[in-house]
Amino acid sequence: MRTAQWSEPVSVLDRIIAVLEAVRESHGSTTITQIARATGIPKSTVSRLVADLVRQRYLSRTDDGVGIGLRLFELGARTSTPRRLTVAALPVLAELFNATGEHLNVAVRDGRDMLSVISVRGRLRPAPSRAGVRVPSATTALGKAVLAFTTEESVLRRITTGLDPRARHALERELAEVRTSSVAIDRCQTFPGVVGVASPILSPEHQPVAAISVAGPVADMDAERMVPLVRRAALALTHRLALQVA
């Protein structure tokens, strides 16, 4: 990490890049003080830049400070997907597509939404989502598969804020069922006429990394037949990611 002498004229872009690099090199999350120390930028300037970057979702707030956000990936998602997830997912998606012929997605949670990172087009025209598109966590099968295994209470509170009591209780019951079955279903809640079935992809610590889903037309897609196929695909992808880490 380069350290600049910020008493000299330096562009705002240089400072933003330095802040992002400092957060990236923290391998998780870091604090304003630590960023200022690593970059040589005055703490007050770092605080202002971080606030702007969080607002634009290039950084995200964490329990320990700030971490890298998903905005940069979202902007480039149509041409570049996270390599580790992509490499692990491609053979799993190929097998799942051969078994179903339906629209497939792998998505990660970002705030209140799910962000699609890999998409395989199936019978649905037009496709309900594609790489780089955001869908709501509270209604989609992808979102519910991830939320069911999310242990951060603050995340769940953000998702349920604004829901009326009946909808909130219904979602909580559904998430409890997903924790038991490892499968979530969206019966036309998000896209009219489209049924989605999803299962979570978990880390070795049993935390949700992403979710994989199958989506098809309500008129002739057998959701129950998809359940074991999607669950098996999620388990296969979970194992493949774990092998990459090992």
Side-chain angles (χ1 to χ4, degrees):
M1 175 70 198
R2 67 180 181 86
T3 299
Q5 297 298 321
W6 295 106
S7 58
E8 302 174 1
V10 179
S11 72
V12 173
L13 180 57
D14 282 339
R15 296 186 177 199
I16 289 173
I17 291 172
V19 168
L20 291 173
E21 283 292 310
V23 177
R24 181 184 66 83
E25 291 182 8
S26 72
H27 302 294
S29 65
T30 187
T31 66
I32 301 295
T33 299
Q34 290 168 331
I35 295 171
R37 186 182 303 125
T39 61
I41 306 173
K43 188 174 177 180
S44 59
T45 302
V46 171
S47 181
R48 185 172 65 253
L49 291 174
V50 166
D52 289 340
L53 290 167
V54 167
R55 186 163 53 252
Q56 296 296 327
R57 294 186 293 107
Y58 292 103
L59 295 178
S60 61
R61 298 289 183 187
T62 69
D63 292 339
D64 301 320
V66 292
I68 290 294
L70 286 172
R71 181 69 183 273
L72 285 172
F73 162 70
E74 185 177 350
L75 293 176
R78 293 171 187 254
T79 58
S80 176
T81 56
R83 179 173 175 79
R84 178 168 161 263
L85 187 57
T86 302
V87 169
L90 288 179
V92 175
L93 289 169
E95 182 176 346
L96 185 58
F97 184 79
N98 288 337
T100 66
E102 303 290 4
H103 187 79
L104 309 180
N105 265 300
V106 175
V108 296
R109 185 185 64 79
D110 181 25
R112 296 168 60 92
D113 300 325
M114 294 296 292
L115 175 64
S116 176
V117 296
I118 311 172
S119 183
V120 179
R121 294 184 65 178
R123 292 187 298 157
L124 286 169
R125 297 289 187 276
S129 64
R130 59 190 182 278
V133 168
R134 305 167 71 86
V135 292
S137 294
T139 59
T140 55
L142 285 163
K144 289 181 283 191
V146 167
L147 290 178
F149 292 87
T150 298
T151 56
E152 298 177 56
E153 290 297 326
S154 60
V155 170
L156 297 174
R157 279 197 302 272
R158 280 204 306 274
I159 299 298
T160 57
T161 296
L163 296 179
D164 62 63
R166 173 181 287 185
R168 185 170 61 253
H169 293 326
L171 178 59
E172 289 170 351
R173 286 196 303 271
E174 190 168 2
L175 295 182
E177 293 173 359
V178 174
R179 280 189 285 274
T180 300
S181 65
S182 292
V183 174
I185 299 178
D186 171 3
R187 300 186 187 277
C188 310
Q189 289 176 275
T190 309
F191 300 103
V194 177
V195 173
V197 180
S199 190
I201 300 157
L202 303 176
S203 71
E205 296 76 29
H206 210 63
Q207 294 300 306
V209 174
I212 185 170
S213 73
V214 173
V218 65
D220 59 358
M221 190 179 97
D222 185 351
E224 298 308 317
R225 186 179 80 84
M226 298 297 168
V227 165
L229 298 175
V230 176
R231 186 190 289 122
R232 185 165 64 245
L235 285 172
L237 185 44
T238 293
H239 292 154
R240 287 178 63 84
L241 285 173
L243 288 174
Q244 287 185 359
V245 173

